[in-house]
């Protein structure tokens, strides 16, 4: 395959290919569209399309697709071949600028939350030139946004791009006030760390729960779990290493900067982190990464599980969203600078994030809410459902000093006036790395750790960008009208610290005492998806998101509906799968074991009439109680599911699921898992936790 630098990005229509294959006029015009969002005229679009097509065909493509991210959370594509009939009976390969820019998939089956009646089925897809086209298999994939005919966003990319634009607008106002003249735009960047499980495909195929729901719904605790901490950063097993090598190669070909790989805490759990890039591209890349992870696994006889909680009792999988804001000139605005003004600017951006996270805790929480992630948040492996910020001791001390006009011990013994005194140079990451905080400052970026492994990072980032844009807007409004910039700046930073310090918490986020303390501080604690999702429509949230033009009211209403619907459907499928497995696999298995035990004891008695057969009798009694309980709990779950059909409102249904179905599922699982521990191995109808977690060697 050659060296990495030879093939890196070979499947991407990137800047190198554009430069080589477009006339300099067309190239310049396209660059302007990519860098500054300038409109592309038809002749340029045609030239780009022709070059793209030739390049794609030369690299083996026969089809093209508008690749988009509907609200299902995964990506969608509909392939069209390049062929077009020629008068002589043959075909020519054809692809126009029009086809590049706009597509009209018949997309009536994607969730729209009532935004688009089925009679106006056709949505349209629009080319996003800021994310490079690429080849997957035999198809040229063109990243696109997906909207209804009325122009409402039906996808995750559109609001993400809008939120980046909102943040750009407000950040530019602030930078201007600080005298930055050469900055043309501001963008957020993200490096998402992706966790996943790898299990054996043959074992996977025997588990209906994994096949239908992505997680195990039954399974007794194996003798060994993660208690020895021997998997984390452990030596990577040969089969996994081969998988990772293959995966990296596929990702590199797609221009994805896969960088770090290691074993995670749970057995069979691993992590992959790319080098960060612009949020929009990082989002596309993360979606692709998740897809390629699964595809490559199949080649290795493995299955990659991206569910947040595939196994009870060991850690689930998350996704850490490392996020920062940078100028087009390469300055990271969350990195403390060298000069007083840069430091004041840094503090202002830092405060903007603190204010944003406090004011919009609910939006951040709900941006990661799914039925799957509900199992993880607040368990002993992921941050609680309460949002808080970790800044580290040093930065906390600095903010303290500013708030109270007291000298900061780390510097000269004078009080700091921002913009005049040099902010003490504090080392990056001096304090221990707090792994328990949902939102941690790590030297020059924030790490949002609540995301579940299967979440699209678009959701978290659109909320984060919008909320920070709102803080910056409030700051800019105030500062632009200020008589004395420095005094106003100082007062505003002080006020932010005073008003929002309740969100700052450096301690152990896993501690129960913190949850009580957080409640006292008035922080939200929305434990489940039904608890938090309706807050999307709270007045303050609608006001903020619509004022920055990230969402319309109709889009927000539809999203809330879709997210709750997803929650309900997910749990319903899980419950139905449990009923199926209990009745068709678990009960018959235990019955046949009991019947063999009875036969064995009868046979013993035939030979030795005095034999007590206490073992068989005891076990049969125990298992008979358990089978009765399994049957009973299965029936109860079924009845509860049927009761849901009487509920018309999605929100009400989600509450009923939260309050009754989940409990009944847990009750059924408890007795079935107990039966597993009492049943001989060869009778158990599917691979156990031990098999699944330790089966890949
Ligand atoms: P750790 O596991 O120690 O938190 P990793 O190296 O696994 O760290 O992941 C850190 C992630 O943060 C990487 O994706 C990295 O590229 C990303 N990152 C580093 N600097 C920035 C930045 N300025 N903005 C956004 N992401 C960043
Ligand atoms: Mg990491």
């Amino acid at each position: 395959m050659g060296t990495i630098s030879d093939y890196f990005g070979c499947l991407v229509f990137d800047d190198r290919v554009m430069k080589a294959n477009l006339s300099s006029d067309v190239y310049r015009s396209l660059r302007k569209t990519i860098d500054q969002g300038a409109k592309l005229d038809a002749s340029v679009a045609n030239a780009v399309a022709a070059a793209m097509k030739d390049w794609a065909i030369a690299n083996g493509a026969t089809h093209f697709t508008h690749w988009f991210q509907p609200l299902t959370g995964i990506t969608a594509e509909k392939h069209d071949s390049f062929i077009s009939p020629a008068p002589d009976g043959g075909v020519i390969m054809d692809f126009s600028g029009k086809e590049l820019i706009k597509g009209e998939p018949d997309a009536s089956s994607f969730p729209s939350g009532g935004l688009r009646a089925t009679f106006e089925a056709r949505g349209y897809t629009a080319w996003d030139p800021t994310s490079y086209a690429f080849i997957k298999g035999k198809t040229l994939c063109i990243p696109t946004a997906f909207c209804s005919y009325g122009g409402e966003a039906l996808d995750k990319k559109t609001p993400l791009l809008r939120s980046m634009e909102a943040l750009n607008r407000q950040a530019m106002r602030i930078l201007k006030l600080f005298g930055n003249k050469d900055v043309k735009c501001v963008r957020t960047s993200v490096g998402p760390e992706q966790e996943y499980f790898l299990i054996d495909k043959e074992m996977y195929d025997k588990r209906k729960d994994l096949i239908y729901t992505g997680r195990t719904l039954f399974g007794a605790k194996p003798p060994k779990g993660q208690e020895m901490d021997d998997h984390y950063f452990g030596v990577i097993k040969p089969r996994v290493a081969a998988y990772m090598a293959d995966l990296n190669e596929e990702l590199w070909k797609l221009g994805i900067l896969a960088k770090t790989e290691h074993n995670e805490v749970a057995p069979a759990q691993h992590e992959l982190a790319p080098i960060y890039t612009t949020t929009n591209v990082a989002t596309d890349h993360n979606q692709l990464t998740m897809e390629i992870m699964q595809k490559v696994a199949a080649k290795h006889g493995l299955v990659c599980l991206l569910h947040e909680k595939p196994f009870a009792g060991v850690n689930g999988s998350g996704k850490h969203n490392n996020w920062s804001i940078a100028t087009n000139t390469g300055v990271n605005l969350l990195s403390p600078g060298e000069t007083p003004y840069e430091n004041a600017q840094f503090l202002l951006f830092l405060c903007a994030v603190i204010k944003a996270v406090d004011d919009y805790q609910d939006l951040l929480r709900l941006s990661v809410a799914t039925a799957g992630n509900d199992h993880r948040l607040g368990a002993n492996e992921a941050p609680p459902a309460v949002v808080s910020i970790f800044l580290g001791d040093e930065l906390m001390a600095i903010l303290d000093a500013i708030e109270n006009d007291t000298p900061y011990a780390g510097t000269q013994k004078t009080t700091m006036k921002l913009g005049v005194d040099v902010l003490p140079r504090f080392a990056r990451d001096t304090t221990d790395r707090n792994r328990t905080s949902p939102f941690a400052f790590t030297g020059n970026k924030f790490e949002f750790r609540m995301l579940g492994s299967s979440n699209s990072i678009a959701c978290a980032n659109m909320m984060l960008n919008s909320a920070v844009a709102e803080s910056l807007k409030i700051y800019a409004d105030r500062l632009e009208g200020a008589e004395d910039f420095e005094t106003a700046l100082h007062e505003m930073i002080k006020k932010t610290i005073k008003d929002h310090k309740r969100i700052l918490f450096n301690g152990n986020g896993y501690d129960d005492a913190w949850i009580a303390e957080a409640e006292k501080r008035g922080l939200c604690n929305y434990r489940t998806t039904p608890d938090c999702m309706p807050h999307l429509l709270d007045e303050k949230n609608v006001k903020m998101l619509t004022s920055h033009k990230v969402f319309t009211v109709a889009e927000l209403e539809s999203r809330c509906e879709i997210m709750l619907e997803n929650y309900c459907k997910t749990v319903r499928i899980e419950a139905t799968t449990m009923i199926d497995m209990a009745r068709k696999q678990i009960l018959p298995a235990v019955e046949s074991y009991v019947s063999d035990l009875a036969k064995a004891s009868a046979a013993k008695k035939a030979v030795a009439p005095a034999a007590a057969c206490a073992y068989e009798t005891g076990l049969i009694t125990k298992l008979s109680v358990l089978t009765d309980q399994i049957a009973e709990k299965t029936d109860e779950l079924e009845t509860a599911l049927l009761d849901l059909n009487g509920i018309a409102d999605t929100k009400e249904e989600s509450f009923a699921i939260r309050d009754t179905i989940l409990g009944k599922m847990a009750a059924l699982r408890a007795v079935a898992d107990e039966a597993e521990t009492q049943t001989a191995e060869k009778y158990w109808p599917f691979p156990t936790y031990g098999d699944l977690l330790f089966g890949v060697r």
Side-chain angles (χ1 to χ4, degrees), residues 253-372:
K253 283 196 243 169
L254 285 166
I256 297 173
L257 293 156
K259 171 89 174 161
T260 313
E261 58 194 23
H262 59 79
N263 285 352
E264 261 299 334
V265 173
Q269 192 186 27
H270 313 280
E271 180 187 296
L272 178 136
I275 297 173
Y276 69 96
T277 179
T278 311
T279 306
N280 175 34
V281 175
T283 305
D284 287 357
H285 280 181
N286 183 250
Q287 293 297 128
L288 260 180
T289 300
M290 292 194 283
E291 183 184 326
I292 307 280
M293 277 176 155
Q294 285 163 312
K295 210 181 264 173
V296 173
K299 274 206 282 183
H300 290 254
L302 299 165
V303 174
C304 171
L305 301 177
L306 290 168
H307 194 282
E308 282 74 19
K309 193 74 181 178
F311 302 99
V314 297
N315 279 11
S317 297
K319 181 141 58 189
H320 292 173
N321 190 82
N322 294 273
W323 174 94
S324 68
I325 323 173
T327 66
N328 66 313
T329 51
V331 177
N332 179 350
L333 297 170
L334 292 176
S335 186
E338 303 284 342
T339 66
Y341 263 119
E342 281 173 1
N343 285 323
Q345 187 182 291
F346 159 73
L347 277 174
L348 189 66
F349 278 97
L350 183 76
C351 283
V353 178
I354 293 171
K355 178 173 163 54
V357 173
D358 188 28
D359 285 340
Y360 299 100
Q361 302 160 39
D362 45 0
L363 287 183
L364 290 175
R365 165 66 185 93
L366 67 87
S367 75
V368 303
T370 59

Side-chain angles (χ1 to χ4, degrees), residues 168 171 201 258 268 311 319 326 419-420 429 463 483 494 537 576 599 621 636 653 668 697:
N168 175 50
K201 171 87 165 65
F311 302 99
K319 181 141 58 189
V420 179
D429 252 0
M463 294 309 176
E483 264 170 40
K494 246 176 93 162
L537 302 178
T576 312
K599 277 185 215 148
T621 312
E636 281 175 22
E653 184 184 341
L668 169 56
R697 271 178 281 272

